Amino acid sequence: MSLPSYQPIPIDDYYSTPKKGLQEDTGRPAKSQHRNFFRLLVASTIAITMMFGLSRTGIPSVFRGCSKGLHGSANRLPSHYVLPSGDKIPSVALGVWQAGRGEVGVAVQEALKAGYRHIDGAWIYGNEAEVGEALRASKVARKEIWLTSKLWNTFHAPKDIEPSLDESLSRLGTDYVDLYLIHWPVAQNQDGTINKELTEDPYPTWQKLEELVAKGKIRNIGVSK
């Protein structure tokens, strides 16, 4: 199928007669509107230049200052945030979701060499054992590393929380985690169906987590999603 040929409208013909507003057929603005637009643009540029001056690159200094502020904001990112407990959580973490076997350990060790001190993992990621091996191989003291793990949806029942946590602790090779999060605020039964009771009233889950804080197995608790 051939497309209809396009016949451009000669500029001289287009502007040969006075026009107002948009052209009905072409949708082009009238010449007077072009002139008004460029006059406004030039006037605005002159006004900004007079008010703020120009940098060597020709960019008004007000914009140069904004750009500097935006790029400099990363330098002002705090190294830690203080939690209600008083603990300081590193603001940047290495997340190990979807990191496969044979890869996650190398990633953790390289991150620690680069200065990372926060590793963010979870029971459901299935790689906590390799993360633990990498932590031990790094020779970085445990007290210098912030470990985050998460409680999976099917373990919200109070009787299931501590066994799940103990499994994570064993795999990580530590006796406590710095932060233990409810991975999703949705409780599920072991068959994957929604546990409506614990989803609508998560207090029993939270209460058990507080007990584990008192036991010293968890330093801080929260909700991930």
Side-chain angles (χ1 to χ4, degrees), residues 183-206:
H183 207 145
W184 290 86
V186 176
Q188 291 178 288
N189 299 308
Q190 294 300 319
D191 61 1
T193 58
I194 299 297
N195 184 320
K196 186 176 180 181
E197 183 179 355
L198 283 174
T199 297
E200 294 180 352
D201 179 18
Y203 181 69
T205 301
W206 191 260

Side-chain angles (χ1 to χ4, degrees), residues 130-161:
E130 191 170 341
V131 170
E133 292 173 2
L135 293 174
R136 292 187 291 276
S138 72
K139 305 300 182 182
V140 178
R142 171 65 183 90
K143 64 181 180 180
E144 295 181 14
I145 301 174
W146 183 284
L147 287 181
T148 295
S149 189
K150 305 178 188 75
L151 176 71
W152 187 238
N153 306 354
T154 53
F155 302 132
H156 283 209
K159 65 180 180 62
D160 296 328
I161 295 175

Side-chain angles (χ1 to χ4, degrees), residues 2 10 19 26-27 41 50-52 56 70 79 99-100 102 127 141 149 163 166 175 190 192 220:
S2 61
K19 301 175 179 65
T26 65
L41 179 62
M50 292 177 65
M51 291 174 64
F52 301 107
R56 292 182 180 180
L70 289 173
S79 61
N127 54 18
S149 189
D166 287 343
D175 56 1
Q190 294 300 319
N220 300 272

Side-chain angles (χ1 to χ4, degrees), residues 57-175:
T57 60
I59 301 174
S61 59
V62 62
F63 298 135
R64 183 160 43 91
C66 292
S67 176
K68 182 178 179 181
L70 289 173
H71 289 291
S73 62
N75 296 328
R76 295 194 296 271
L77 179 70
S79 61
H80 296 77
Y81 291 101
V82 180
L83 299 181
S85 65
D87 290 344
K88 296 180 179 180
I89 180 173
S91 57
V92 178
L94 174 72
V96 296
W97 179 50
Q98 291 187 328
R101 293 180 180 178
E103 299 176 348
V104 65
V106 175
V108 169
Q109 290 195 57
E110 291 300 318
L112 292 173
K113 288 178 184 177
Y116 281 73
R117 289 298 181 266
H118 182 179
I119 307 299
D120 182 283
W123 179 91
I124 195 63
Y125 296 168
N127 54 18
E128 287 183 317
E130 191 170 341
V131 170
E133 292 173 2
L135 293 174
R136 292 187 291 276
S138 72
K139 305 300 182 182
V140 178
R142 171 65 183 90
K143 64 181 180 180
E144 295 181 14
I145 301 174
W146 183 284
L147 287 181
T148 295
S149 189
K150 305 178 188 75
L151 176 71
W152 187 238
N153 306 354
T154 53
F155 302 132
H156 283 209
K159 65 180 180 62
D160 296 328
I161 295 175
E162 190 166 9
S164 175
L165 171 63
D166 287 343
E167 187 174 351
S168 289
L169 294 177
S170 176
R171 291 174 176 175
L172 291 168
T174 183
D175 56 1

Side-chain angles (χ1 to χ4, degrees), residues 40 45 141 151 191 207:
L40 179 61
T45 303
L151 176 71
D191 61 1
Q207 188 176 39

